[in-house]
Amino acid sequence: MNRLIVVSNRVAPINEGKSAAGGLAVAVLAAFKRVGGIWFGWSGEVVGSPQQETKTFQSGRLSYATVDLSQRDYEEYYNGFANSTLWPLFHYRLDLTEFSRRTFAGYLRVNGLFASRLSPILEPDDMVWVHDYHLIPFAEQLRQMGHEQPMGFFLHTPFPVPEILVSLPNHEAMVRSLCAYDVVGFQTESDRRAFVTYLVQEARAEVIDEKRVLAFGRVLHVDSFPISVDTAEIEKQAEVAGRSRQTAQLRESLSDRDLIIGVDRLDYSKGLPQRLEAFHQLLESYAENRNRVTFMQIAPPTRSEVQEYIDIRRELEAKAGHINGAFAEFDWVPIRYLNKSFSRRSLLGFYRISRIGLVTPLRDGMNLVAKEYVAAQDPDDPGVLVLSRFAGAAAEMESALIVNPYDTEGVAESLQRGLTMPLAERRERHQALMEILRHNDIDHWRDRFLEALSAAPFRPSGQA
Ligand code: F6P
């Protein structure tokens, strides 16, 4: 079998137990730890002066190759174009999207730096699978260095409709560089459709068939590949975690109250202020929940040097404090708001004893917390997933209680419905969701993408 080279900005920490909330690194690790390959990306280190060395090490079947970033690269590429331009734009937050030629140049420079570091390691029949919006021009840069092998790209975030995308002054260059890949994968059908619509409307592309498009002189395979979780592994781990001392401590601290849980990176795309409002509304409209239900929101800070992230953190602190001030009793605090990350094992135990998993992003590529929450439930007494229609996961997880996060009263109503849902209905919904997660688990996601990639390159005649 050909060697597989996985490329992503964030490379998973070696110690899995310490994993942070980022979905990509957790999913990619779960997908590749058994099949092996080389995982190339940023080391997570910012150094005073650019380092010449690529650090390499082995962990299990995976070899790692990582590169440090200089302070300037970090600011222009990571904080700048990736997280102040593409991230808000791809999440439909034009109001927060900044654009500058300086950060775009930094973005291209770092993609070039990464490509030049990977280039000497690459062998002609290696397959390259690149992940996420940080690395859109990566294949184009490798192609310019003479590499011709199959290269695939998977976008973990949403892809915006053309009307939004064209606000980016350099949208054409960005999309043209995406077309240097052989396979371009999206989370959902609507992301795929948005991309193909752009290609047809703005780049006079020709749709060859359901999956193939001829654009900028190349044939690409374009499809949706909804990312997932290691379902069987989570089921096993959650059963054990449900009996852990920490889970028991949490249960004891609740004193028979129901728990609603939310776990998200502290990001404005996650709809956290709206979620707190909805919980507030629950306590207002359904007063029987006062002193009966606790909401625990775990929100580890992320990208904390970007102004919008500083702002949202302040806003949430004020909101949580306000609701707690209004409703707390001497023996009950309605919201436990935690700005820290927990090990995966702890989270699985917490999910298992939560009556409701509350996942209400305003826009999200997939949202793996939704899938993990479901897979971690006790099938005999499962909790209820309350899920935003704007998470990619909603396209598959129709048996969740699907909500519109902007509709505060509607979310409160669904919370009430989840809290009072009879056991038979909870079991039925859980079973339906588990069927989907057992079929489309992380191995299925990886295998489908690699199958498409291994058929590359594609020719306009239709044959591989
Ligand atoms: O797609 C979501 C994502 O941006 C991943 O690329 C990333 O690993 C994760 O969120 C966490 O973000 P960051 O790497 O900026 O901490």
Side-chain angles (χ1 to χ4, degrees), residues 10 22 24 78 83 87 132-134 156-157 265 302-303:
R10 188 69 76 177
L24 181 149
Y78 177 77
N83 286 318
W87 178 269
D132 234 356
Y133 59 99
H134 314 82
H156 290 251
T157 69
R265 284 184 306 102
T302 171
R303 305 171 193 171

Side-chain angles (χ1 to χ4, degrees), residues 162 175-176 179 194-206 213-216 220 222:
V175 175
R176 181 189 285 270
C179 296
F195 178 62
V196 174
T197 307
Y198 176 96
L199 288 179
V200 171
Q201 284 177 1
E202 301 284 329
R204 287 203 232 101
E206 186 192 319
V213 182
L214 173 62
F216 299 105
L220 340 173
V222 185

Side-chain angles (χ1 to χ4, degrees), residues 166-461:
V166 295
S167 325
L168 188 68
N170 56 339
H171 59 91
E172 196 195 323
M174 291 298 286
V175 175
R176 181 189 285 270
S177 61
L178 257 183
C179 296
Y181 290 95
D182 299 290
V183 177
V184 180
F186 297 95
Q187 297 278 24
T188 65
E189 202 35 39
S190 54
D191 298 316
R192 186 200 67 83
R193 208 178 314 118
F195 178 62
V196 174
T197 307
Y198 176 96
L199 288 179
V200 171
Q201 284 177 1
E202 301 284 329
R204 287 203 232 101
E206 186 192 319
V207 176
I208 300 171
D209 58 31
E210 239 186 41
K211 311 249 183 258
R212 291 174 200 217
V213 182
L214 173 62
F216 299 105
R218 300 188 79 252
V219 177
L220 340 173
H221 179 115
V222 185
D223 204 353
S224 61
F225 302 86
I227 198 168
S228 195
V229 293
D230 193 344
T231 311
E233 186 66 26
I234 291 180
E235 282 182 86
K236 259 193 273 159
Q237 287 181 5
E239 208 194 326
V240 177
R243 295 191 300 266
S244 75
R245 201 163 55 86
Q246 202 180 24
T247 307
Q249 268 176 316
L250 172 59
R251 203 197 298 268
E252 200 184 313
S253 74
L254 295 167
S255 325
D256 278 336
R257 295 186 184 92
D258 281 330
L259 181 63
I260 300 176
I261 193 165
V263 178
D264 309 77
R265 284 184 306 102
L266 210 175
D267 193 297
Y268 50 79
S269 64
K270 303 293 183 183
L272 296 173
Q274 291 81 352
R275 194 179 302 176
L276 292 183
E277 281 305 336
F279 182 66
H280 183 182
Q281 187 70 45
L282 175 81
L283 300 179
E284 287 285 359
S285 306
Y286 306 93
E288 65 269 33
N289 293 307
R290 296 184 194 173
N291 211 339
R292 292 294 321 139
V293 176
T294 297
F295 173 33
M296 181 160 81
Q297 176 63 53
I298 296 174
T302 171
R303 305 171 193 171
S304 33
E305 287 154 41
V306 177
Q307 186 58 42
E308 285 71 23
Y309 289 79
I310 299 171
D311 296 344
I312 182 100
R313 186 168 181 173
R314 283 213 193 103
E315 184 185 348
L316 287 167
E317 279 159 8
K319 252 193 202 329
H322 175 76
I323 300 168
N324 280 341
F327 290 95
E329 295 289 347
F330 72 90
D331 59 348
W332 171 66
V333 178
I335 301 175
R336 299 184 187 181
Y337 177 57
L338 292 87
N339 284 146
K340 58 189 270 193
S341 56
F342 285 86
S343 75
R344 179 179 180 70
R345 192 164 169 266
S346 303
L347 288 179
L348 293 180
F350 297 169
Y351 291 148
R352 196 164 176 98
I353 64 164
S354 299
R355 171 48 58 94
I356 292 190
L358 187 52
V359 182
T360 53
L362 303 180
R363 201 56 75 169
D364 213 335
M366 176 54 59
N367 199 299
L368 293 178
V369 169
K371 293 191 169 182
E372 284 179 353
Y373 173 78
V374 169
Q377 294 307 299
D378 174 357
D380 292 331
D381 184 18
V384 177
L385 175 65
V386 175
L387 178 63
S388 163
R389 58 174 295 164
F390 303 116
E396 289 172 280
M397 305 183 86
E398 287 170 356
S399 296
L401 293 182
I402 304 291
V403 295
N404 174 351
Y406 296 99
D407 175 12
T408 310
E409 288 158 315
V411 177
E413 203 172 77
S414 293
L415 285 173
Q416 177 67 2
R417 188 168 163 208
L419 288 166
T420 55
M421 188 179 283
L423 177 62
E425 184 181 348
R426 284 192 274 129
R427 280 192 186 155
E428 211 174 290
R429 287 175 181 273
H430 178 251
Q431 260 173 27
L433 292 171
M434 284 305 287
E435 254 172 57
I436 293 161
L437 294 185
R438 288 202 183 105
H439 170 71
N440 182 30
D441 65 2
I442 191 74
D443 291 342
H444 184 74
W445 171 76
R446 177 200 61 221
D447 292 347
R448 272 193 67 224
F449 193 96
L450 290 180
E451 195 185 307
L453 189 56
S454 51
F458 307 107
R459 298 199 176 80
S461 61

